Amino acid sequence: MILNKVFSVKKVSYTLCVIGVILLIFISSSIFKINQINFFNEFIKAGETPEIYSQTYEARFSAAFRLAEKEYYKEATNLFNNLVSEGSDNQKSAVHYNIGNIFFKRGLFIYGTSNDSKVAAEAEYLFRQAKKAYEQSLKYDNTHWDTKHNLDRLLTLLPSEPTPGVGDSDSPGLIMGNIPVGLP
């Protein structure tokens, strides 16, 4: 008898109707979000940014990525640098990875063009910037194998780090630069 009062046909029917309406709202909301994502992806594939999404993180990231693909490296680096302070750790890792790729590509292009010492110094500078960006990317996400692979390849191109203060000059260099010479 008590069970009939608690689980009456009316109460069960109303409960199932409410659950059905909630599920219908959830399903329609999910379908709407999926359509928005597909709409956004179609614009990105076409190389455009839809107006309503122009200031989202994803739109700015894809715009920077497109610029890098078209070899507008300075503009792409600026856009990526604007994204560094935003997003999740995964997104920050991706931003630093792409910045590293830009410096690495620029360095490789310069590295192969001439044997001039100025060109070699500029290529080394770009490689060191790429190394910093890859290391920063690994700080945010150390499971990204593409970053590890690129960093490994980059380290084979960089000259070994000289020890400060050791070299051809008589100056003590960075290690003992503030210590007076001679007995106290």
Side-chain angles (χ1 to χ4, degrees):
M1 286 292 208
I2 299 174
L3 218 54
N4 287 341
K5 289 182 181 178
V6 174
F7 292 111
S8 70
V9 174
K10 279 186 176 182
K11 289 181 181 179
V12 171
S13 297
Y14 288 140
T15 305
L16 289 176
C17 285
V18 169
I19 290 173
V21 168
I22 291 172
L23 287 176
L24 187 62
I25 291 171
F26 177 74
I27 289 170
S28 61
S29 169
S30 297
I31 290 172
F32 179 72
K33 287 180 183 178
I34 289 171
N35 286 336
Q36 279 185 322
I37 291 169
N38 288 336
F39 176 73
F40 178 79
N41 287 340
E42 289 301 319
F43 268 96
I44 297 302
K45 284 179 187 175
E48 302 170 3
T49 302
E51 287 297 319
I52 58 174
Y53 299 113
S54 64
Q55 294 304 314
T56 63
Y57 184 90
E58 292 81 7
R60 292 183 293 150
F61 184 92
S62 65
F65 190 80
R66 266 195 325 271
L67 286 172
E69 281 182 331
K70 292 180 181 180
E71 297 181 359
Y72 294 111
Y73 294 129
K74 289 182 182 180
E75 293 85 356
T77 304
N78 286 338
L79 286 176
F80 278 129
N81 281 329
N82 290 337
L83 294 173
V84 166
S85 61
E86 301 175 27
S88 66
D89 284 351
N90 238 355
Q91 290 171 326
K92 289 178 184 177
S93 176
V95 167
H96 285 291
Y97 170 71
N98 283 296
I99 291 172
N101 285 345
I102 289 171
F103 283 122
F104 196 19
K105 285 180 185 178
R106 287 176 60 198
L108 285 174
F109 179 75
I110 291 172
Y111 188 69
T113 58
S114 174
N115 291 336
D116 186 18
S117 63
K118 287 183 181 181
V119 172
E122 185 176 352
E124 182 180 346
Y125 169 77
L126 291 170
F127 288 152
R128 293 207 184 279
Q129 293 300 313
K131 178 183 172 189
K132 287 178 187 177
Y134 287 144
E135 288 171 344
Q136 192 68 27
S137 174
L138 289 174
K139 284 181 185 176
Y140 286 112
D141 181 13
N142 65 354
T143 62
H144 196 246
W145 285 100
D146 290 338
T147 306
K148 291 179 182 182
H149 174 77
N150 287 0
L151 182 60
D152 181 53
R153 295 296 166 248
L154 179 66
L155 291 175
T156 61
L157 294 173
L158 281 173
S160 61
E161 302 262 345
T163 305
V166 176
D168 297 332
S169 70
D170 292 333
S171 67
L174 296 175
I175 293 177
M176 300 174 68
N178 293 333
I179 300 174
V181 180
L183 296 174

